Amino acid sequence: MTEDRRDISEDERAQIIDGLLAAQAQVAPKYFYDLAGSRLFDVITLLDEYYPTVTERAVLQRYARDIAATFTAAAGRCALLAEPGAGSCEKVRFLLPVLTPAQYLALDVSVDFVALALQSLRRDFPQVRMTAAAADIAQVAQPWPLPDDEGSRLFFYPGSSIGNFTPDEALALTARIHAQCRGQGGLLIGVDLVKDTAVLNAAYNDALGVTAAFNLNLLRHLNRLIGSDFRPQQWEHLAFYDEAAARIEMHLRARETVTVRWPGEDGQASERVFAAGETLHTENSYKYTSEAFEALLANAGFAQIHRWTDAREYFGVFLALA
Ligand SMILES: C[S@@+](CC[C@H](N)C(=O)[O-])C[C@H]1O[C@@H](n2cnc3c(N)ncnc32)[C@H](O)[C@@H]1O
């Protein structure tokens, strides 16, 4: 497979262009994930500085039995395990043997990548019915392609992807998941916790420059999606922790004056001029204290919340029962 092709709707195209033309230019982080972006993210998870993946994996590995027992005691056997933003579907490997769901559903905007990941997962867990489906969970008006099942549902949302949403959006998303539990089932969610600023800054500014490549690859993806003429060599990676907002911000900063053009509706080219030093904001990654995240889950409607974490309390895994 070379480049995946993802068609975008007219609305999505308009949203991207509005973002490029905004005073602070911005683009949604879901556009990181073409095939190359998904692969670059997988490399990020192997880097020394990027503690979230190893830490979350260790927590899941250590406590998978506890998590499954807690879920089953409250909700019965899991009929459907659904993972939004499933990506490489690696972390679910800790849950499948202990939860033994009848069905696993992987939802992602980058569905070609997820379909590849499912091929090897199916070989290792032949007893579980597995499906990959395209879904953009940031689109509030778009229903999730969930099956018409009867039993209890567990939504699995690892990787602190919830941090890409503002706290208000995160509340709306978790409330939506709560509604989709239909009073039975729950949400197992991994969240990156507030910690030392130097540790956070290092995680998003790795020495090999893989996070920079991941960030810059967004420009190639945008070129394919909207026909723009971004030249990655004119941009540089910028990532920093904003303590007051409790979030990492990622940007691409123009190294020089840059004019970006793309075809407009009437065939006329539209453009944005970026002054040297001006940025395109590409991602927020909000960090939470355990208490703040538990309060968010309670506000979303969940009745009972359990938490597992690592010894340094770098990363929290929360099981919120409907
Ligand atoms: C940071 S990766 C995490 C992958 C995996 N869940 C993990 O924990 O390692 C984020 C994944 O979410 C997907 N994604 C990003 N935005 C999305 C959206 N709005 N709707 C659905 N999937 C999305 C990406 O394609 C990517 O596979």
Side-chain angles (χ1 to χ4, degrees), residues 30 33 41 83 85-87 91 108-110 135-138 158-159 161:
K30 64 186 171 191
Y33 299 97
F41 181 75
E83 182 174 356
K91 293 171 188 161
D108 208 293
V109 284
S110 185
D136 179 352
I137 62 167
S161 295

Side-chain angles (χ1 to χ4, degrees), residues 30 74 97 104 131 139 188 193 205 260 283 285 296:
K30 64 186 171 191
Y104 169 62
T131 326
Q139 299 286 342
L188 181 66
L193 302 175
N205 290 284
V260 184
E283 183 180 65
S285 182
L296 184 146

Side-chain angles (χ1 to χ4, degrees), residues 36-48 50 53 113 206 208-211 214:
S38 295
R39 292 206 162 129
L40 283 166
F41 181 75
D42 270 359
V43 180
I44 290 174
T45 67
L46 303 174
L47 300 171
D48 294 337
Y50 197 74
T53 308
F113 183 72
D206 65 274
L208 290 185
V210 185
T211 310
F214 172 75

Side-chain angles (χ1 to χ4, degrees), residues 20-66:
L20 292 180
L21 294 173
Q24 167 60 68
Q26 54 189 287
V27 64
K30 64 186 171 191
Y31 297 114
F32 283 132
Y33 299 97
D34 62 349
L35 202 55
S38 295
R39 292 206 162 129
L40 283 166
F41 181 75
D42 270 359
V43 180
I44 290 174
T45 67
L46 303 174
L47 300 171
D48 294 337
E49 299 92 333
Y50 197 74
Y51 64 84
T53 308
V54 278
T55 313
E56 185 180 36
R57 284 175 64 96
V59 173
L60 288 172
Q61 183 165 29
R62 180 156 185 197
Y63 297 112
R65 275 185 193 286
D66 271 12

